[in-house]
Amino acid sequence: LYDVFEVMPGLIALAIGDVAGKGAPAALFMARTRSLLRAGTLQFHAISGRVPLPSEIVALINEELCKNNPNSRFVTLFLAFLDVATGRLVYCNAGHVYPILTSGGTVTEMSAAPDPALGIIEALAFNDHDFILAEGDCLFLTSDGLSDMQNADQEQFGTDSILAEITENPGVSAANLARGVLAKAYAFANGAPQFDDITLLVVKRLR
């Protein structure tokens, strides 16, 4: 799942997640998660009169997903709030793939320890992290289906290949970067069937 929406003028929510499992039950769990994400964020702001922290919204979603979940289905979720004017980005990572930041010619996997995935353990506290997305910087978010893509020999595309492809394409637009990395991954797979879906969300600050 992924989502991009305006929390208030000048503040953008960025979210990407991955539900465990396949089929209709996983799809319904995904839809529920996305609904809770939007409703929780927008209602929090409307009721409290302040902008929530990503960790507060993630905690609310976790509490709701833990209810009526006898099979302990879970979802990973990366949620960030981006201030467009300043570039300040505050995020919470609940068990999701590490984000990748391209800044000043350097490509870095932001490996701050993630919090647990959502839907399994109630009453968890989650952590926020923040940084400045400067002009020209790019935030690359993906599901694990990209790094886990396999070729006929069951070799995985891997995170190193993603980092290498991003490094080799400095200065391109967010859309072209996403297309380029996907093209490289599909070329690597060379037609081999895949067992997982792929989601990318790429954000670049232009000014």
Side-chain angles (χ1 to χ4, degrees), residues 55-68:
S55 61
E56 293 176 309
I57 300 303
V58 169
L60 289 172
I61 296 171
N62 181 60
E63 288 304 299
E64 290 301 315
L65 292 180
C66 283
K67 298 174 182 177
N68 302 314

Side-chain angles (χ1 to χ4, degrees), residues 70-83:
N71 295 322
S72 295
R73 188 173 296 278
F74 65 90
V75 57
T76 66
L77 181 66
F78 176 95
L79 174 62
F81 295 150
L82 172 63
D83 186 316

Side-chain angles (χ1 to χ4, degrees), residues 2 9 21 37 60 73 87 133 147 149 173 185 188 197 206:
Y2 75 96
L37 167 64
L60 289 172
R73 188 173 296 278
L133 192 69
S147 61
M149 182 174 276
S173 68
F188 171 83
D197 55 7
L206 300 180

Side-chain angles (χ1 to χ4, degrees), residues 11-81:
L11 187 71
I12 306 298
L14 310 168
I16 185 168
D18 196 358
V19 178
K22 311 290 182 192
L28 290 171
F29 201 77
M30 178 276 293
R32 185 181 176 203
T33 302
R34 183 173 179 271
S35 296
L36 289 169
L37 167 64
R38 280 215 172 205
T41 302
L42 298 176
Q43 289 178 8
F44 190 108
H45 180 247
I47 293 171
S48 69
R50 69 173 178 86
V51 176
L53 291 168
S55 61
E56 293 176 309
I57 300 303
V58 169
L60 289 172
I61 296 171
N62 181 60
E63 288 304 299
E64 290 301 315
L65 292 180
C66 283
K67 298 174 182 177
N68 302 314
N69 186 19
N71 295 322
S72 295
R73 188 173 296 278
F74 65 90
V75 57
T76 66
L77 181 66
F78 176 95
L79 174 62
F81 295 150

